[in-house]
Structures are given as C-alpha cells and as structure tokens.
Amino acid sequence: MFIDEQTKQHLLWADVLRGFRPRTPMGRKAWERFSPFLPGQEREWEEVLAEQERLRKAAEGDPDWGHRIDACLSRVPDVLPLFPLLRGKQSPGVSGWFQLKGFLWQVKNLGERLREKGLQTLLSEVEPDLCPTLLRRLNPDSPLTPAFSLVSAFDERLGILRGRLERLDRRIREEREALTRRIAEEYGVRPNRWGEWVVDRRSDVSRRMAEDRRLRLVRESAFDRVFAPVLSPEGEGRMEERSELEARLEAVEREVLEALAADFAPHVPALERAAEAVARFDLQWSRMEAARKWQGCRPRLSAGPIRVAGGVHPAVAERLREEGSRFTPVDIRVDKGVTVIIGPNMGGKTMVLRTLGLIVALAQHGFFVPAARCELPLVSFVSGVMGDGQDARAGLSTFGAEVKRVAEWFGKKGGLLLIDEIGRGTNPVEGAALSAAVTAHLAQSDHWAVHVTHYAEVLEVAGIRRYRTAGLRDAERDRGRDDWASRMDFRLIPLAEGEGVPHQALLIAEAMGMPRGIVEEARRWIAGAPGSAAAERLAGGGRETGKCRKRGGVLPWRSGPRG
Amino acid sequence: MLPKDWTGREMKRLAIVGLSKNAGKTTVLNHLSGAAVSRSLPAGLVSIGVDGEERDAWSGRPKPQVLVPEGAVVATAGPCLDVRAGNWEVLEELPVRSLLGQVFLARAVRPGTVKLAGICSAEEVDRVLEGFGRHGVRLALVDGAYDRKAAAHPIRSDGVILVVGASAGKTLEEVVRRTEEWVRIFSLPPCGDPLLEKAGKRAVLEGWTMGIAGEGIEPFPLSSLLVDRGKLSEAMGSRPWTALAVPGALTDRTLMLLAQCGCSFPLVLSSPTHAFFSLRTLRTFLRSGGEIRYLERPPLVGVAINPVSPEGGAFDPREMKRRMARVCRPVPVTDVIRDGFDGLHLMPWRWDGVH
C-alpha cells in the first residue's frame, strides 16, 4: 500500500482532496481504483504531468474553453453498465440508448474542443470514426440531436404501422365525438372531459339514459350514474383492430431495439476504450483543476533528494486564512537516510512533516503540488508515525503502536517515513535511547526518513541532515506577551554546526498563561539540576549552544562521520 | 396563454396536494394535463414521493393511470419509460435518483400512460422544473403525494390545488371540518412587513428563532420552543418582543404555550409546511391577540372534490360541493368529474374529443 489510512488522516488527505471530484462516472470509478505512480513508472508520471501542463496553459489562456470542457465532462452519462448487455447482444431500454447516444455526443464534443487547442492526442485512444458512425446509427434521420427516440427511419414498418394507427385513432375519435354530440344534444347534458355523462340517478335523464342502447352504465353510486357511449359494431371492430396494431407496433419496436443491440455488439471493445480514455482525461482535467486552486507547481524528477521550496499545506493554510493568519511556507531538502528536525513546542515541526508528506503523496498521484518548487524521486510508499497512534482494539499503547509501525518499515524499501517524536510515549531515558537508535538504523537504510524530536541524543547520530524551526523571536523583549503565535517564527532553518536542541518550553508556557511562579520554580529546578552549566543559561531563557547534554555514557553511534 | 387563477394571476407551476390518501389527485392531474395540451400549452408532469403506481402505496387499491398527452414532458425513472419504448423521445438525464432508478425527462411522441417515479427532495423537484424549462414546458404540474406538502412550497409552484376525496373522513361533516382546517391554516397571510420578512429569513438561514424588539432583530434566548412553560415564559419576558420568527415546525403544544405566555404579537413561519397545529389552537392563539404569518406561501387556487371513495361509500356530490364552497370561500371549489375545472376558471371548458 502506498499510503495507509492512518497516514492519510495525519496528512489531512481527505480535506485537501475535498475539491477534487472527477466529473464523469467513469472518472470517479477510475479514481477509486487508481494507484499512484511508483518507482519504475517515472516515464508515465512525467507524461501525466506534461499533459496537465499543456491543459493548464490552454485553460488559463481561454477560460471559456475551459468551461466548455467542464460542461462536456459533466454531461457524460454512466454507460459502463450497458457494455455487458450489448456484448451479449441484449438491448438496453430506451433510456439506456439515450445514455449511449449522450456518451458518443459528449465524446465527439470533447474531441472537437481538444482539437481547437491542438490537444486531440489526449483522446487518441478513441477511434476517429467511432462517434460519427455510431451516432448516425442512433439518429438515422437528420439532423443529429442529443435526444433519442425510436423514429420511423429505423425501420420502414414503424412508419407504416404508426400511420395506420393514427388514421384508425382519428376515425374512432370522430365516431365517438359524433355520437357524443348527438347524445348531448338529445339529453341536453354535457359530457365530462372523458366523454362520460355523470347524472343524478333519481333524474328522469338517468332513467332514459339507462334504457338507451347507445349508452352503457360504467359505474354508479348512491347518488349518480355514469354513462359512456357504446360504439357501433364497426367501431368495436376498429377498436379490436387498434389493439392488434398496437401489439404489432410494440413487437416491431422490440425488434428494432434488438437489431440495434446486435449492431452495436462488435463495437463494445472500441466503446470501452473510449470510456477509459474519457476516464483518463477526466482524471487529468480534475487533477489540474484541483491543483489550480492551490496554485500547484509541476514536480520534477530528482535523482536522489526530495527538495521542496515554498511548500504549503492547502487545508491548514485555508484554516489559518480564515483565522486571519498565514501559513509559513516550508523549505526542506530530504536525502536518503534521516533528516532530523528539532525546535520548540508548537514551533511548526509536525506541520513540516504533514506538508512534506502531503506534497510527496500528491505528486505521486499525478497532481501538481502546493509549492513554489518541488523535485523528488518516486518513493515506494509514504508512512507516518505522527500523533497518537493508539489502536484500542489491538490493546496497544501509544508507544507500542509506534514501535509496531516502525518495526514494519525495516522490512520495506524506499519509502518516505515521517516520524513525530518517537519514544516520547515512554520514560525519557529509554525513549531517547530508542529514538536515537531508530534514527541510526534509518540513517543506513534505503528510506527517506524525517524525524521530528526533542531528544538531544538524536542529534548525535552520524550521517544525518539537521534542521530546526526558528522558534520564538526576540524572546527576552517580548516575554510575557499574550500573543505568542505572532512571536513564533515557523521557518525551517538548517542547523549550524555544534548547535543543539533549543529550550523554549518554559518561555512558551509563560507566554501561554502558565503562572509566573510555576515557571520560575521550573527554572530553579533546572538551575539546581546536577552538572548543568547549560541549565544556567536555560534558566535565563537562552538556547543551548554547546554540545548536547548526555544522560548516560558515550553512545555507540557517536563516533561516526557527521553529516 | 397561461392559465390564471381566480385572482387573475398567471401560473406556470401548479401543485396538486391531497388532503388524504385516495383523494383523487391523479384524476385531477390527468384532467389538467389534457386541458393544458388542448390549449396548446406543453405540460410537464412530475410526482413527489410514490405515485403513478398501479396500486396505491398505502391501501393497495388500483389507482388511475397517469395519462400523458402527446407533446407532454414527463420526469420519471428510465425503467418506467422502457415499458413502451416507442412512445418517448428521451431528452435529458437528470442528476436525480428515484426509488425506481435514475430520472430522465422524456417527451411523449404519442399519447399513452406512464408510471411517474416519485422525486423525493425539494431540491430535486427544482432540478426537474428547471429541466422542464429547458424543454419548452409552459405549465408544470407537480403531483404531490399523500400527506406531503413539499410541492406547495412557493419556490416550486405558483399555485396549489387541494384535492379532497370522500376518503378523508367517515362523514361529510368530518371531511368538511378537515378541509376547513387545512384551508384556513394554509391561507394564513404572508409577512407583509420588511422587518418581519428579514427576521423570517434570518431565522431560516441561522436555524434559530429570531425575535424583534423595537427595530432590531435579535436571537431569541431559546434555540427551540419545545420547552416547558417556565423557560418559555422567562424567555418571553427577557426583552420587549414584538414578533418572533420560527425556523422550524410550530406544533399545537408550542402554540398553546405561547398563547399562555402572553404572546400577543405576530409569529412568522417559513411556509405552511411548518404549520403543525389545529384550527382550535390557532383560534385560541388568535383570540389572545397573536398572529401567524408565512415567509413564503403559494396561493391556494382551487379545491377539487371527489365525492366517491375508492374504499366504498360516497357523499351527495351537490351537498358536498355546496358545503365545501362555504368553508373554502373565496377559493373556488369544483367537482372535476362532473364539472371539469369550470368553477376554478383555470381552464375554460372546451370539448376537444377523446384523450
């Protein structure tokens, strides 16, 4: 699996794709079974992106043209259920034939629209003669229309039978009208809309009508009698003839539809290819439209690192916009091995993971990505250990759930791993050791791992790339201000040589309203902790600039080369 | 020329609503569609809920078929059109699903009958009506299912015809009483005041009862009026309210409580579909000085009566019409089977043969 449900949730995948909706039924079905582009499919991936680039250029240069394409796609009916019927030479109903005609009509229109912009190759799988030929078979009279009916041009017998039926109906109607008029005049009673007389059963007219052989009693109630005219024997004969004609007409109509089905059966493979082509184009168009909303850029293929400049998480950015804030774009380079991000709480570390994971996942699903620039190799999967991964049914704690998930990665190859503070769910000493050990192993692996942590020990691992989030600005001057968010700098900055884990938790706690006495007490605790020269600096609110403070002896991975 | 109601208003969309099941709506629909075609008015037929079935969904009794004159456009499910494939020109597939399948618009190329698959939501009815417009329909006939007043929503109709059948009660007195109640409650006046209208719209938009105090519109302290008398009384006394706009349904109990709490000012409901109180309670409320107005309400253009019940039994047609006319006045009453629509002045009678 390229991306599991848990990771999708962490990346807010559904929120981002809420605006992505293929227009056609076949496009929606294709998206449900769509698999992202994986290593080895670089050529196909680049083709999809190049096509979208051409489409986007055309749509942005001529918005009306874009609306016409949208309208064509939105009107494509669901013809997939008709194909098995036609393959078996069974006729769909009249509504099914209408849908098939509508499909051919819209594919023809779509082809014409694409030709206007020299983009006809995007529907090249559709046989050039398919639509005109089949449309003419469904519309044997002129001119072509998108409506469908069993016109007499399908079979000359239809015209003959319908003509006879019409003439017969006219004669029956004339006879009834004449009889009705005569009776109405004789009795001085007007018939109702259905040519019946409703008369008071106690009236003299009722008695006389009951005795009139030209009338028959249709029904009666306690108050009324309802009479209808009786046709002459010739008239009755015409009624019988009419029933026979109706039956023959129905039989011919059935024959016509069956012949049409037999005629269409050999074209089913071509129709299926056309439906696939429409689905593919629809996905391209819908991806392009979705990416236009987040002003996406075309991702480029990279030989090794994942590089993102100006990366944005559209769903979070939207939420921040509503709150009057703005998203700080992410600039990051992730090489094979491990990239570690450190920084204060609420400094934006997790958001970096989310944004990066989302951009890679979108890219591999063929989308332009929400970034100013992006290059990446195709990875085998995207997986994250982020937030609380407790699985209540499996009875796992946060820590257990994380460990189980991380352990699974070691059996795989070439994925993007997003790790949010592994080991935080257990005691700090073991947690730090495990966090550093996992980092050390991943550093030697085939994965692109990004690890967000507070453990200074992780920075000791050899061969890793390091970043920090900028954190609180001008901490001393603004101390005590309530508006901590405006003081926070969410930018990601490469970590300078020798720079350690920043300590701003107490400052942030204070900014967020923790009583000053408690914060001061915490500072005193740090100051009083054994062997901590750095603690003195911490108590003053600064950043630890020396080597990281170690909790134990020399760690085995410390001696390796520094990245 | 479009049909006009008895006040002279032109109607493009007519809704047919039944007071009870087996009232005779389909007969009225058939009469109207035939009359529309005879006046060269292309008709559109759509049904809300389950209708056009061979048997009544509730009683299981045989129902009259929906007759479709040549040239009329129907909105129904594909399988209903497939029954007589040659009778139809299929015009459009709508983004609407009925219980019987996807809904299509089709024009009858020959007269015949059809099962009208019911459209379930008001939004879907809107889509059908828009579709009718695209295909030249001049008079849309919306057949509302039993006990559903959705078709009476003003956005969907310019007028409503109430169909009252003998099946609405065991005695003529009961039928007349029920009709009077329906007509009186349905015919309560529209807002008629910009401030009331504004409060009504805001209540619907926010889904919260709004009150008018002075010139200002403010949220009422209670989200729902379905509370005990003490709380309602407290909320009523919280401000010098001069009107309340209620977004949802107003029940008998709530209306009575409001009367008891001294509500002697206008209440605005969004439409008659939200009025769930009896005439007796309404009378008490009105006597206490209150008023009820609707944000939107289509006019009741006529009452069609059917003195014969398909379940057996019948009322004296003349007596029924006379008594109904008295309680419905000034809304005209007609007996479609006996009189056509003459009495409603909707479709001047013209004998034009067998349909």
Side-chain angles (χ1 to χ4, degrees):
Chain A
M1 185 185 290
F2 177 74
I3 180 167
D4 56 81
E5 278 309 313
Q6 201 175 320
T7 306
K8 278 185 182 173
Q9 282 176 24
H10 290 317
L11 302 185
L12 308 177
W13 181 250
D15 289 349
V16 174
L17 289 192
R18 196 155 287 145
F20 170 72
R21 184 161 175 77
R23 273 74 165 162
T24 68
M26 43 285 284
R28 288 192 283 275
K29 284 197 181 95
W31 178 248
E32 279 167 20
R33 55 171 194 270
F34 180 79
S35 27
F37 295 93
L38 296 174
Q41 295 178 300
E42 284 78 4
R43 190 178 57 79
E44 293 89 333
W45 182 67
E46 297 246 51
E47 273 175 19
V48 158
L49 295 169
E51 279 179 9
Q52 273 184 70
E53 198 161 40
R54 290 163 65 199
L55 271 179
R56 184 163 170 169
K57 203 172 158 192
E60 286 179 348
D62 185 351
D64 282 348
W65 177 83
H67 293 145
R68 288 200 296 276
I69 292 277
D70 239 7
C72 278
L73 287 172
S74 305
R75 289 174 191 153
V76 170
D78 188 4
V79 288
L80 299 179
L82 303 178
F83 295 152
L85 277 179
L86 289 173
R87 207 179 290 116
K89 298 185 181 176
Q90 284 178 281
S91 173
V94 67
S95 53
W97 285 111
F98 167 78
Q99 287 177 309
L100 196 58
K101 191 174 179 187
F103 173 74
L104 293 164
W105 187 271
Q106 295 306 341
V107 175
K108 177 177 79 72
N109 283 350
L110 203 53
E112 286 165 3
R113 297 289 83 77
L114 291 174
R115 199 166 299 117
E116 287 168 15
K117 301 289 177 190
L119 294 169
Q120 59 271 28
T121 52
L122 298 185
L123 275 186
S124 57
E125 298 95 328
V126 180
E127 289 174 16
D129 291 338
L130 185 76
C131 294
T133 308
L134 296 186
L135 271 173
R136 187 43 76 188
R137 290 193 192 173
L138 291 173
N139 199 143
D141 53 351
S142 294
L144 273 182
T145 71
F148 177 78
S149 64
L150 274 178
V151 292
S152 298
F154 273 111
D155 187 313
E156 63 176 9
R157 290 174 299 167
L158 288 175
I160 294 167
L161 289 170
R162 284 171 181 168
R164 283 176 60 189
L165 200 58
E166 208 173 298
R167 286 193 292 277
L168 202 55
D169 273 345
R170 198 180 311 128
R171 292 192 66 180
I172 293 169
R173 193 166 57 240
E174 283 166 359
E175 184 187 346
R176 274 199 179 147
E177 281 176 9
L179 181 57
T180 305
R181 258 195 306 274
R182 275 202 306 278
I183 292 171
E185 280 165 15
E186 282 178 32
Y187 290 98
V189 182
R190 200 176 62 178
N192 69 12
R193 171 153 207 91
W194 294 276
E196 296 170 336
W197 288 270
V198 186
V199 291
D200 188 333
R201 62 179 298 150
R202 295 162 298 185
S203 66
D204 181 50
V205 170
S206 165
R207 186 184 51 75
R208 283 163 50 213
M209 282 183 144
E211 289 166 2
D212 194 329
R213 291 188 169 196
R214 295 170 303 169
L215 292 168
R216 67 188 164 89
L217 184 67
V218 180
R219 59 187 180 274
E220 63 183 321
S221 71
F223 305 94
D224 292 316
R225 282 179 173 153
V226 181
F227 296 98
V230 175
L231 288 176
S232 65
E234 293 80 17
E236 290 295 342
R238 284 190 200 101
M239 287 301 285
E240 274 175 36
E241 190 187 344
R242 190 187 187 287
S243 298
E244 282 168 24
L245 266 179
E246 275 277 9
R248 281 173 63 192
L249 183 57
E250 274 187 55
V252 173
E253 284 167 356
R254 266 197 307 275
E255 261 184 58
V256 170
L257 289 179
E258 279 159 17
L260 208 52
D263 195 19
F264 268 66
H267 298 286
V268 171
L271 285 166
E272 283 176 329
R273 282 194 296 278
E276 279 166 25
V278 168
R280 185 181 183 282
F281 177 78
D282 184 19
L283 285 190
Q284 284 286 59
W285 183 261
S286 303
R287 274 192 289 230
M288 179 209 73
E289 285 284 281
R292 276 171 75 183
K293 287 184 196 131
W294 59 63
Q295 297 172 315
C297 78
R298 177 179 170 178
R300 305 280 172 182
L301 193 64
S302 143
I306 301 169
R307 282 201 188 98
V308 172
V312 172
H313 192 294
V316 178
E318 175 66 28
R319 212 174 296 160
L320 288 173
R321 231 187 334 270
E322 284 166 10
E323 291 166 8
S325 308
R326 58 181 285 276
F327 190 94
T328 304
V330 174
D331 298 330
I332 192 170
R333 172 186 167 133
V334 177
D335 289 285
K336 260 195 180 177
V338 181
T339 298
V340 172
I341 302 173
I342 57 169
N345 303 71
M346 295 186 290
K349 301 188 298 296
T350 304
M351 195 48 65
V352 171
L353 290 186
R354 274 203 176 127
T355 306
L356 177 71
L358 177 81
I359 285 175
V360 171
L362 283 175
Q364 292 201 212
H365 279 83
F367 284 92
F368 278 30
V369 295
R373 281 190 310 282
C374 169
E375 61 174 66
L376 73 162
L378 295 185
V379 298
S380 300
F381 66 98
V382 177
S383 181
V385 166
M386 301 164 72
D388 191 347
Q390 279 195 60
D391 180 346
R393 277 178 305 176
L396 296 170
S397 67
T398 301
F399 178 71
E402 283 177 0
V403 168
K404 184 170 178 285
R405 208 160 157 75
V406 172
E408 285 166 5
W409 293 342
F410 289 109
K412 295 180 179 176
K413 278 186 172 265
L416 171 65
L417 312 179
L418 308 165
I419 312 162
D420 193 357
E421 298 187 44
I422 192 169
R424 76 192 180 292
T426 188
N427 75 69
V429 174
E430 287 176 293
L434 183 72
S435 185
V438 165
T439 304
H441 274 82
L442 288 175
Q444 307 302 320
S445 75
D446 190 33
H447 297 305
W448 288 261
V450 184
H451 188 180
V452 158
T453 187
H454 284 292
Y455 290 124
E457 286 82 347
V458 174
L459 291 179
E460 297 289 306
V461 177
I464 61 172
R465 176 174 290 275
R466 301 170 182 83
Y467 284 95
R468 67 176 173 86
T469 50
L472 282 175
R473 300 188 186 96
D474 202 3
E476 278 300 325
R477 197 193 65 196
D478 288 344
R479 184 182 289 190
R481 273 181 54 180
D482 287 344
D483 185 15
W484 70 271
S486 67
R487 292 168 53 196
M488 193 68 89
D489 183 350
F490 295 103
R491 282 174 309 128
L492 204 56
I493 297 166
L495 202 63
E497 181 64 31
E499 205 174 351
V501 174
H503 295 273
Q504 294 184 319
L506 297 184
L507 278 173
I508 293 170
E510 194 177 3
M512 292 197 73
M514 181 68 78
R516 195 174 184 117
I518 295 177
V519 175
E520 288 305 327
E521 174 118 12
R523 288 206 175 95
R524 280 195 294 277
W525 270 88
I526 294 169
S532 66
E536 298 291 334
R537 287 190 292 276
L538 281 176
R543 178 175 280 125
E544 186 180 6
T545 51
K547 285 272 175 83
C548 299
R549 188 161 55 84
K550 293 176 284 294
R551 296 172 196 278
V554 175
L555 296 168
W557 52 80
R558 195 184 158 204
S559 55
R562 300 292 295 266
Chain B
M1 196 176 76
L2 285 167
K4 293 176 179 173
D5 68 9
W6 50 280
T7 63
R9 235 169 60 104
E10 280 198 341
M11 289 173 296
K12 292 178 184 167
R13 297 169 175 183
L14 261 179
I16 303 155
V17 180
L19 183 69
S20 63
K21 61 187 175 184
N22 298 319
K25 286 191 286 68
T26 308
T27 302
V28 172
L29 178 76
N30 287 342
H31 191 101
L32 280 169
S33 64
V37 166
S38 69
R39 287 164 56 100
S40 303
L41 274 179
L45 309 180
V46 60
S47 172
I48 294 187
V50 185
D51 222 323
E53 304 282 351
E54 285 148 18
R55 289 186 175 271
D56 180 83
W58 290 274
S59 67
R61 290 175 185 283
K63 292 187 65 182
Q65 288 184 302
V66 173
L67 304 177
V68 187
E70 184 179 333
V73 177
V74 301
T76 192
C80 302
L81 299 171
D82 297 339
V83 175
R84 268 313 307 271
N87 280 10
W88 306 105
E89 180 190 19
V90 188
L91 303 168
E92 190 178 339
E93 180 179 356
L94 293 175
V96 172
R97 270 196 83 77
S98 72
L99 288 174
L100 300 176
Q102 195 70 28
V103 171
F104 294 81
L105 295 182
R107 180 177 285 118
V109 292
R110 303 171 54 216
T113 60
V114 77
K115 192 179 280 191
L116 284 182
I119 312 298
C120 292
S121 77
E123 289 69 30
E124 289 175 339
V125 174
D126 282 345
R127 288 197 182 126
V128 169
L129 295 175
E130 285 160 17
F132 281 166
R134 285 192 290 276
H135 297 288
V137 165
R138 302 273 315 276
L139 178 65
L141 299 171
V142 183
D143 183 5
Y146 157 64
D147 213 21
R148 280 174 194 241
K149 297 189 218 165
H153 197 282
I155 295 166
R156 282 137 207 132
S157 59
D158 302 315
V160 171
I161 292 178
L162 173 68
V163 185
V164 181
S167 58
K170 287 180 184 151
T171 62
L172 184 55
E173 281 67 33
E174 189 185 345
V175 174
V176 171
R177 184 186 53 73
R178 284 190 64 192
T179 307
E180 183 181 15
E181 178 158 310
W182 197 100
V183 170
R184 290 281 190 91
I185 291 172
F186 187 88
S187 307
L188 290 168
C191 276
D193 176 87
L195 191 59
L196 284 182
E197 197 168 318
K198 200 172 163 190
K201 283 182 178 164
R202 200 172 146 194
V204 172
L205 192 72
E206 297 182 21
W208 192 282
T209 300
M210 291 290 157
I212 297 177
E215 288 301 303
I217 300 168
E218 296 173 26
F220 195 62
L222 298 171
S223 64
S224 164
L225 298 181
L226 295 168
V227 290
D228 61 45
R229 187 175 169 177
K231 280 186 183 162
L232 189 61
S233 190
E234 193 182 324
M236 290 284 288
S238 64
R239 302 277 286 125
W241 305 112
T242 55
L244 284 185
V246 185
L250 188 63
T251 62
D252 236 11
R253 182 181 168 274
T254 309
L255 193 57
M256 187 59 88
L257 275 181
L258 282 165
Q260 288 165 357
C261 292
C263 174
S264 54
F265 46 68
L267 292 180
V268 179
L269 293 186
S270 54
S271 77
T273 58
H274 295 80
F276 286 87
F277 43 79
S278 67
L279 196 55
R280 209 172 70 169
T281 312
L282 174 66
R283 194 169 289 136
T284 309
F285 180 71
L286 297 180
R287 279 179 182 164
S288 72
E291 276 180 67
I292 291 188
R293 300 187 189 193
Y294 296 125
L295 189 57
E296 294 172 306
R297 169 177 68 74
L300 181 63
V301 297
V303 175
I305 61 162
N306 169 21
V308 182
S309 166
E311 289 150 1
F315 301 132
D316 180 342
R318 286 153 287 273
E319 175 69 2
M320 184 177 185
K321 189 175 165 186
R322 191 179 58 77
R323 294 187 56 181
M324 295 291 282
R326 202 164 58 203
V327 298
C328 296
R329 194 172 294 130
V331 178
V333 175
T334 189
D335 178 337
V336 175
I337 295 290
R338 288 157 189 82
D339 314 326
F341 274 103
D342 290 15
L344 303 190
H345 313 297
L346 290 175
M347 303 277 182
W349 175 262
R350 197 179 81 194
W351 170 245
D352 55 356
V354 177
H355 283 271

